[in-house]
Amino acid sequence: MKLLKQGRVYAPNDLGCKDVLIGGGKIIAIEDEISIDGYPFVEEVNVSGKLVVPGFVDSLVHITGGGGEGGFTTRTPEMHIDDAVQGGVTTLIGVLGTDAVTRSLENLLAKAKELKSLGLSVYCYTGSYHLPAVTITESITKDVMLIDEFIGVGEVAISDHRATPMDYLALANVASQARTGGMLADKAGVVSIHVGDDRQGLDLLRQVLSNTAVPITQFYPTHINRTKELLADGIHYAKQGGFIDFTTSTTEQILEQGEIEAAQALAKALEAGVDISQLTMSSDGNASLPVFDEQGRLTDLQVGKVKSLHQSFVDAVVKYNVDIDVALRSITSSPADILSLRSKGRLQVDGDADITILDGETYDVQSVIASGKFLLKEQVKKTQAYF
Ligand code: ZN
């Protein structure tokens, strides 16, 4: 058991200074003051002056590496657990990407199990960029229903030169399979949508929504900060009730080509009146970040970083004046709710003890607790007060 003393608790709503008692991997109590006199087996940790926040939920990470659009020497590497932990992430969603030939779902699941046994909470999407979707059981519905880690399908690519050309019925078919599997297994069954920079934007999703009974909440489109036009389209889509996700990994060159920083996109969507429950940021960690010229030739390729999620949270607060609790929601409760991860993304009694501790002034990640255990413990010393 651990008692976190007198940190400023954002649950993610601001609860003020509280004591947080955890044990058995769960949060046992959050109170103004909790006394552990007579319980020497409780580890007391003084976190006064620090922010105690939910462990971050990163809804899109290429944990086995993503693409490699410049040939085999540009294949992006697997994610190392330190990349997540040092960035305050305790829950992540692993996905395939452009390359579903040399990156397999079997490998994705194995990597997820590795990270889980090291202490993180990891879920995955079946499928990849392309249709028909790759699966383990030859059925999206069966994969989502029967394989614990799978909570949806994706990221299915649309409006992208790498996407499978498809009509709305093909996408509706994928959505209904994921939805059915999700309902039968009490999971979200979402369809993660990779949106490229073709000018069709979110049109295909709108066609599905206006011609079928698939609800708008079944889709979780990402990279919506890719261009100014897509951001405007995404804000419009969100105002109709949809979720939109902004990608935090970027490069100077990508920003020069017109991408909007995720933190800025978040601030703009909030200003436009979109509710924070519909807005999320994800890292796209270990993705390839290719830059193509006007002829479609690759000119640069960098690797996405999970740590960019934390940096974008800090940027949202410091550069774009988003309130701390609101910025936090975009990387905690909002993605957890969209993905139906009910014990994630919040500090609540009986919820999982996934906690990130930030410096009170710089918001640097100092310590990370996942399922009640320290995965990172920096500059937080065990207090001796009760001896
Ligand atoms: Zn993508």
Side-chain angles (χ1 to χ4, degrees):
M1 295 172 78
K2 294 177 181 59
L3 178 62
L4 308 180
K5 287 295 285 181
Q6 291 302 299
R8 177 77 175 263
V9 175
Y10 284 87
N13 49 320
D14 184 3
L15 301 184
C17 286
K18 297 277 178 187
D19 287 356
V20 179
L21 182 65
I22 63 181
K26 297 281 180 185
I27 294 174
I28 296 171
I30 303 174
E31 300 287 344
D32 288 343
E33 190 144 13
I34 299 170
S35 170
I36 53 163
D37 290 347
Y39 295 95
F41 47 83
V42 179
E43 178 187 7
E44 186 172 310
V45 184
N46 178 9
V47 289
S48 68
K50 303 182 194 308
L51 308 189
V52 177
V53 308
F56 303 156
V57 178
D58 192 340
S59 62
L60 198 80
V61 185
H62 298 275
I63 55 175
T64 56
E69 283 87 337
F72 292 114
T73 57
T74 63
R75 284 161 51 82
T76 60
E78 286 196 359
M79 191 202 80
H80 191 278
I81 186 171
D82 289 349
D83 296 342
V85 173
Q86 288 170 8
V89 171
T90 55
T91 296
L92 51 83
I93 316 304
V95 301
L96 294 182
T98 331
D99 177 5
V101 175
T102 71
R103 324 266 192 185
S104 68
L105 288 175
E106 288 82 356
N107 190 32
L108 187 75
L109 284 176
K111 180 71 183 179
K113 288 174 195 297
E114 173 209 314
L115 295 168
K116 281 164 73 174
S117 58
L118 293 172
L120 295 180
S121 295
V122 185
Y123 304 88
C124 297
Y125 295 138
T126 187
S128 74
Y129 264 32
H130 303 113
L131 298 184
V134 290
T135 58
I136 297 271
T137 64
E138 298 182 354
S139 152
I140 294 170
T141 305
K142 279 192 203 172
D143 272 17
V144 173
M145 188 176 169
L146 298 175
I147 298 175
D148 286 349
E149 286 86 354
F150 286 142
I151 57 169
V153 61
E155 49 175 325
V156 176
I158 66 167
S159 301
D160 191 292
H161 55 112
R162 292 161 292 180
T164 306
M166 70 181 97
D167 60 14
Y168 78 85
L169 283 173
L171 188 56
N173 183 25
V174 167
S176 75
Q177 288 182 59
R179 179 173 170 78
T180 305
M183 289 170 73
L184 292 170
D186 192 20
K187 296 177 178 178
V190 294
V191 186
S192 165
I193 301 286
H194 159 107
V195 188
D197 55 10
D198 287 1
R199 65 198 142 66
Q200 295 89 338
L202 297 164
D203 287 355
L204 194 61
L205 298 190
R206 292 198 177 87
Q207 287 176 40
V208 174
L209 299 169
S210 52
N211 291 294
T212 75
V214 175
I216 196 166
T217 48
Q218 213 65 38
F219 293 110
Y220 193 7
T222 186
H223 314 316
I224 300 301
N225 52 321
R226 189 185 286 282
T227 63
K228 221 164 60 189
E229 294 74 22
L230 184 57
L231 178 59
D233 195 23
I235 288 172
H236 189 253
Y237 173 85
K239 288 198 157 183
Q240 294 167 324
F243 307 130
I244 50 175
D245 180 66
F246 305 124
T247 300
T248 60
S249 287
T250 191
T251 65
E252 282 301 317
Q253 225 179 328
I254 291 174
L255 290 170
E256 275 166 25
Q257 285 195 339
E259 187 169 271
I260 294 125
E261 284 178 56
Q264 188 180 14
L266 181 73
K268 279 179 185 284
L270 289 165
E271 261 170 49
V274 180
D275 192 86
I276 185 63
S277 63
Q278 296 165 260
L279 297 170
T280 68
M281 298 196 289
S282 66
S283 74
D284 207 11
N286 293 64
S288 53
L289 304 176
V291 178
F292 300 96
D293 66 15
E294 281 170 7
Q295 281 75 45
R297 288 177 303 218
L298 183 77
T299 58
D300 188 46
L301 191 140
Q302 304 286 328
V303 180
K305 294 197 169 43
V306 176
K307 285 182 204 160
S308 64
L309 189 73
H310 166 257
Q311 185 58 50
S312 293
F313 153 71
V314 177
D315 288 348
V317 173
V318 175
K319 277 171 78 176
Y320 299 106
N321 297 316
V322 178
D323 291 341
I324 292 175
D325 58 321
V326 175
L328 274 174
R329 284 183 67 182
S330 73
I331 55 170
T332 58
S333 59
S334 294
D337 290 348
I338 291 167
L339 298 167
S340 295
L341 304 176
R342 294 184 191 95
S343 56
K344 302 296 183 189
R346 284 189 177 80
L347 301 183
Q348 58 190 356
V349 173
D350 287 336
D352 290 347
D354 295 338
I355 302 173
T356 292
I357 298 168
L358 305 173
D359 184 278
E361 278 160 20
T362 62
Y363 309 126
D364 286 347
V365 174
Q366 294 200 324
S367 298
V368 174
I369 296 170
S371 300
K373 294 192 181 120
F374 274 108
L375 293 189
L376 180 73
K377 196 173 184 184
E378 278 180 352
Q379 301 172 57
V380 177
K381 306 229 164 38
K382 194 173 164 181
T383 56
Q384 303 295 322
Y386 58 94
F387 289 113

